[in-house]
Amino acid sequence: PMRAVILALALALVGSAVASRDDKAAYARSMVSSLDWGVMSTISTASDTAGAPFGNPQSHAEVDGNIYYYVSDVDQSMLDIAVNNQVGYTLSNAEALSSPACGSIPYAGDEESPLCSRLSITGNFVNISGTDEEEQATDALFKAHPAMKNWPADHSWFVGKLEITQLWEINMFGGASHITPAQYYAGTDAN
């Protein structure tokens, strides 16, 4: 059994993302481009949870490292962002449901394991409607998430973007890495 655990963890190290775990910026870019949803955290404005953290799953698409969303004005996260546009966006390789490090092999890994990579991105959410990048972002979103094209038109949908201010990543034992936007955008996308 111990050999199986060691083998599974070794496979996890070379597993889900193509970028080297040592190249933190490239690994972050790889996670953003290979995963298609995460949890967006805002500061709640809802009357029963005002001022508390609020996490909400959001689908995204990536173009040249930029993270785009197709969202509605009636969504609680967007109501929060109308008051304070600072957000956190968290991705985990556990989303892929295929990594031994994330527990797809029992007793070999766990979603909280440092080998089950996670990336927390902080930034400002902006509406890019009417900008030069809106068309490219919409195309990428509808390609990654075809169902979005069929969502009800009466929900005030728009395209938003995360303007990244900082990235925090754990992809191995030894503590978190802090990545600047400049490092992230200069990283080579391995996918």
Side-chain angles (χ1 to χ4, degrees), residues 24 118 167-179:
K24 303 302 184 181
R118 56 188 162 255
L167 301 95
W168 178 95
E169 175 184 77
I170 290 183
N171 68 356
M172 63 177 57
F173 289 95
S177 298
H178 295 264
I179 304 165

Side-chain angles (χ1 to χ4, degrees), residues 36-118:
D36 61 4
W37 71 275
V39 175
M40 182 178 288
S41 298
T42 57
I43 301 299
S44 180
T45 58
S47 61
D48 55 344
T49 56
F54 177 73
N56 194 6
Q58 295 286 350
S59 298
H60 76 267
E62 177 268 345
V63 177
D64 298 328
N66 294 306
I67 305 169
Y68 297 104
Y69 309 89
Y70 189 60
V71 292
S72 167
D73 277 338
V74 299
D75 180 90
Q76 182 60 49
S77 295
M78 296 307 110
L79 297 173
D80 298 342
I81 286 167
V83 174
N84 178 352
N85 74 334
Q86 292 181 311
V87 302
Y89 190 59
T90 303
L91 304 173
S92 168
N93 276 347
E95 296 170 32
L97 302 176
S98 63
S99 172
C102 299
S104 64
I105 297 176
Y107 309 106
D110 186 85
E111 295 84 352
E112 193 177 338
S113 166
L115 299 177
C116 184
S117 303
R118 56 188 162 255

